[in-house]
Amino acid sequence: MDRTPADRQRYNDAMSRVTELDDTGWQDSLWAATATDAPATPALEEQTECDVVVVGAGYTGLSAALHLAEAGKSVLVLDSFGPGWGCSGRNGGQVNPAWKVLPDVLEKRMGQESAARAMRMAGDACDLVFDLVERFAIDCEAIRPGYVQGGYGQHGKDFIAQWVLQWQRRGVEVSMLDHDEISTMLGTSVYSFGMYDARGGSVQPLSYVRGLARAALAAGARVHGLSPVIDARRTDGSWVALTASGASVRARHLLWCTNGYTDGVIPGLRESVVPVTSFIAASSPLSAAARSTVLPGGHAVSETARIQVYYRLDGRGRMVFGGRGDALNTRLNGSTTHLERQALAMFPELEGVRWEYRWGGHPAMTTDSLPRLMRIGDNAFSALGYNGRGVAMGTMMGRELSHAVLSGETALPVTGLRKTPLHGLRQLGIAWHIFSGRLLDALDGRKA
Ligand SMILES: Cc1cc2nc3c(=O)[nH]c(=O)nc-3n(C[C@H](O)[C@H](O)[C@H](O)COP(=O)(O)OP(=O)(O)OC[C@H]3O[C@@H](n4cnc5c(N)ncnc54)[C@H](O)[C@@H]3O)c2cc1C
């Protein structure tokens, strides 16, 4: 395709806008250093057509593409960079079950029948990940020893007791852990109690998303990186998505899967979620002695704390320790020192380890802690807002999007576009949330 100077300028402008977002060191991540090779996903260079155009090549977009291609639809995926450039290639790799809302609360909000359907879907999300890994032989260090949540204080205890009771009533294998049990399980005595959920596990997140991309390609989908979409509009009953280089695709359906990296192309969509910043530090591989006491069961762990940390060991026994930045810090600037200090306070065996990798990214939060499945126009949908639990939920919501296209029957009700109230004040809100959350966590007796 011939490019005019105006095309080139538009492309450069769009790319510099998106690279500005990459302020958190993706290239330096442990995952970038250890992932399986990326499949070839060259830029779109033509005017073309398909049934469904998907914007965003993370878990959500690629799972949607894979399920649609398997159902016989012609699908084309466009990403500003390529598979896994967003959170899907940067996260902690924890395959966490469900979401953070109690089942009874969901029932009150949605009614018994809708809530039961939605909870079944959320509860099945981990199975979907591990099934896809097995079905497509995705090489991504997948393990499934279960997920553990550590707790402090009365606030956390009440939540976990209710969580366990309410999921057990619905037949799910979750159990409460007392101080001794969780201390033995994790090799740290900082928690007063905890919860074990057998559904969880972990993956090498970038290898997993690249595996999804490969599976989607093998099923017949086309996947194009270096193709930022700068305009999407309805023309003669179809959607036309235009990329920065001037290439375009005309499709009956449009799916927008950009989560915390959502820009202003679809009016109002950026305001539907609040992107925050999460950072991870990864150590050198632990010694055999340390590995026998630090997370000996290989669990993926997070906490009930308001401003929680999350951690696990990777396939080579490195501690992968993540959490929020300082209140106003949205850029990396070496700012994982607070996480490294906290890891050491919890696991003294880490004394002397080198922290070899530091990076971060922008997951998307919602005010009610539930993901969004929204109609953003005729034959157009978006799924986003996984509140830091997108490995399993993003994969599942991608499948939900495929159902929205194929049958209109989704487990989570499709809503209209929902904007976050006071979105313009979000930086202030985030800073206050982190500051007050850390204070309340300390009052709850958080030790590290
Ligand atoms: C540090 C960190 C740790 C985390 N840890 C965990 C964890 O352990 N477990 C867990 O379940 N979740 C975790 N999460 C959250 C999880 O990673 C996300 O919820 C999930 O990856 C979202 O997937 P997605 O496909 O919806 O979006 P993303 O993977 O973010 O993909 C969005 C894509 O959209 C593309 N895009 C945006 N705009 C455009 C445009 N205009 N044109 C073309 N492409 C565009 C971007 O390039 C990007 O590739 C973590 C997140 C971070 C940052």
Side-chain angles (χ1 to χ4, degrees):
M1 195 176 63
D2 290 340
R3 289 207 180 135
T4 64
D7 284 341
R8 271 196 297 276
Q9 184 61 45
R10 193 174 43 187
Y11 180 78
N12 290 342
D13 287 351
M15 288 312 276
S16 69
R17 266 199 309 278
V18 280
T19 37
E20 262 174 37
L21 284 170
D22 190 17
D23 48 17
T24 48
W26 180 84
Q27 298 298 344
D28 303 326
S29 76
L30 167 62
W31 311 135
T34 61
T36 52
D37 291 343
T41 54
L44 182 69
E45 296 279 0
E46 57 179 340
Q47 268 75 46
T48 184
E49 292 187 355
C50 64
D51 295 328
V52 188
V53 58
V54 178
V55 180
Y59 304 134
T60 310
L62 290 167
S63 166
L66 169 61
H67 288 100
L68 285 163
E70 284 193 311
K73 295 285 177 195
S74 66
V75 188
L76 189 145
V77 183
L78 296 168
D79 196 282
S80 300
F81 288 94
W85 178 86
C87 283
S88 299
R90 304 163 183 249
N91 62 74
Q94 300 200 6
V95 186
N96 294 331
W99 39 52
K100 296 171 185 167
V101 178
L102 288 169
D104 287 359
V105 172
L106 201 65
E107 261 183 32
K108 273 205 197 94
R109 278 194 210 156
M110 297 173 73
Q112 205 169 1
E113 216 173 286
S114 293
R117 224 182 8 252
M119 281 183 299
R120 247 194 324 276
M121 179 271 285
D124 288 346
C126 293
D127 282 347
L128 179 63
V129 171
F130 290 105
D131 286 352
L132 290 172
V133 166
E134 196 179 318
R135 190 149 69 89
F136 294 101
I138 299 176
D139 177 10
C140 63
E141 298 175 18
I143 54 166
R144 204 172 183 183
Y147 159 66
V148 174
Q149 203 173 15
Y152 307 95
Q154 199 55 44
H155 156 84
K157 192 160 201 163
D158 293 344
F159 180 81
I160 284 208
Q162 279 304 313
W163 179 268
V164 168
L165 185 77
Q166 293 180 24
W167 277 107
Q168 278 179 346
R169 261 201 251 124
R170 290 164 175 86
V172 172
E173 198 191 323
V174 282
S175 51
M176 189 114 185
L177 304 168
D178 65 20
H179 170 74
D180 288 347
E181 287 168 326
I182 193 165
S183 303
T184 311
M185 210 163 190
L186 303 186
T188 175
S189 57
V190 296
Y191 298 116
S192 314
F193 54 88
M195 184 271 293
Y196 170 73
D197 189 322
R199 293 172 293 183
S202 52
V203 291
Q204 207 283 20
L206 183 57
S207 295
Y208 171 55
V209 73
R210 287 180 174 171
L212 282 183
R214 254 182 243 106
L217 286 163
R222 288 174 278 170
V223 182
H224 296 280
L226 298 176
S227 302
V229 176
I230 57 166
D231 187 61
R233 65 185 59 193
R234 292 280 286 171
T235 312
D236 302 330
S238 305
W239 283 97
V240 177
L242 175 71
T243 75
S245 69
S248 68
V249 52
R250 176 181 285 274
R252 185 167 156 69
H253 285 90
L254 170 74
L255 300 179
W256 208 272
C257 310
T258 50
N259 203 46
Y261 294 88
T262 303
D263 55 21
V265 174
I266 301 290
L269 189 59
R270 181 168 34 196
E271 288 76 27
S272 68
V273 289
V274 176
V276 296
T277 309
S278 194
F279 292 117
I280 298 183
S283 73
S284 51
L286 305 188
S287 67
R291 283 183 77 167
S292 67
T293 54
V294 175
L295 301 179
H299 298 102
V301 189
S302 74
E303 305 182 322
T304 59
R306 294 164 185 85
I307 309 299
Q308 55 172 268
V309 295
Y310 50 91
Y311 50 93
R312 67 181 183 92
L313 300 181
D314 83 336
R316 295 204 42 212
R318 294 182 172 91
M319 174 59 82
V320 179
F321 199 92
R324 297 287 283 276
D326 293 331
L328 287 172
N329 188 2
T330 56
R331 289 180 179 254
L332 184 59
N333 299 334
S335 64
T336 54
T337 348
H338 63 296
L339 297 172
E340 293 154 28
R341 251 199 326 265
Q342 196 163 344
L344 184 61
M346 295 171 76
F347 299 99
E349 297 91 333
L350 298 184
E351 182 70 54
V353 297
R354 270 175 299 119
W355 292 94
E356 291 185 334
Y357 301 93
R358 301 179 171 92
W359 72 98
H362 303 296
M365 315 305 263
T366 58
T367 43
D368 59 4
S369 300
L370 287 172
R372 301 284 182 256
L373 179 57
M374 299 180 297
R375 183 183 298 282
I376 54 171
D378 287 344
N379 291 338
F381 302 93
S382 178
L384 70 179
Y386 309 126
N387 298 282
R389 291 211 171 176
V391 178
M393 273 315 292
T395 308
M396 181 53 99
M397 293 293 277
R399 195 174 82 176
E400 284 282 277
L401 285 171
S402 76
H403 293 164
V405 169
L406 294 168
S407 63
E409 286 178 22
T410 53
L412 199 68
V414 176
T415 68
L417 189 62
R418 292 170 60 189
K419 291 194 194 176
T420 312
L422 301 176
H423 195 263
L425 299 176
R426 65 192 177 283
Q427 288 310 343
L428 213 58
I430 293 169
W432 173 246
H433 175 70
I434 295 181
F435 175 75
S436 62
R438 288 208 166 117
L439 200 65
L440 291 169
D441 287 339
L443 292 174
D444 268 349
R446 183 188 206 146
K447 296 187 187 85

